[in-house]
Amino acid sequence: VHLVESGGGLVQFGGSLRLSCAASGFPSDSYAIGWFRQAPGREREGVSSISIKDDDTYYADSVKGRFTISSDRVENTVYLQMNDLKPEDTAIYYCAVEPEAIYLGPDSREYSYWGKGTQVTVSS
């Protein structure tokens, strides 16, 4: 299983970024992908997740209305569109996958495979 995140960077307060998570190495008809983030000195937080089979989604309260998760089943890629970014969104963002899962939420222990992360920095 291989996950590659991309799309992170430096953006100003109120700006936007789109993260991508390209997944490979497992059956692609049913799996769940989650986006997590970890800021220095803080615990890893579940940000959003999506079920590939039926498009069920989860959003943390802190990102509802600002972040949108979506998937491209042909490319096996999941996106996290992040709008109206705030300095508190600054963190390393990771994607994680659990093959054959129907739906998973924000519990990182339920995901077996992780990417290496991409840094998102929001300046004030």
Side-chain angles (χ1 to χ4, degrees):
V1 176
H2 194 49
L3 300 174
V4 179
E5 303 101 331
S6 61
L10 174 63
V11 65
Q12 290 187 334
F13 182 95
S16 298
L17 285 173
R18 189 177 79 156
L19 305 183
S20 300
C21 175
S24 61
F26 56 92
S28 60
D29 57 341
S30 178
Y31 58 93
I33 280 193
W35 282 100
F36 297 80
R37 66 186 181 187
Q38 188 164 20
R42 301 189 66 177
E43 293 187 355
R44 186 169 294 185
E45 172 191 15
V47 174
S48 182
S49 65
I50 187 167
S51 163
I52 297 304
K53 187 170 184 178
D54 52 18
D55 286 335
D56 280 345
T57 58
Y58 160 83
Y59 295 97
D61 288 342
S62 58
V63 306
K64 281 180 181 177
R66 300 188 298 123
F67 290 11
T68 303
I69 193 169
S70 61
S71 66
D72 181 331
R73 299 182 187 185
V74 174
E75 298 294 330
N76 277 354
T77 298
V78 171
Y79 304 97
L80 186 68
Q81 178 67 43
M82 306 187 297
N83 298 329
D84 190 23
L85 283 162
K86 306 174 182 180
E88 51 263 43
D89 295 317
T90 295
I92 299 175
Y93 283 69
Y94 301 88
C95 68
V97 67
E98 181 59 28
E100 301 185 18
I102 299 299
Y103 172 76
L104 294 176
D107 188 345
S108 62
R109 297 169 297 179
E110 296 182 320
Y111 296 81
S112 296
Y113 303 96
W114 292 76
K116 293 184 178 180
T118 184
Q119 176 70 48
V120 171
T121 303
V122 184
S123 62
S124 57

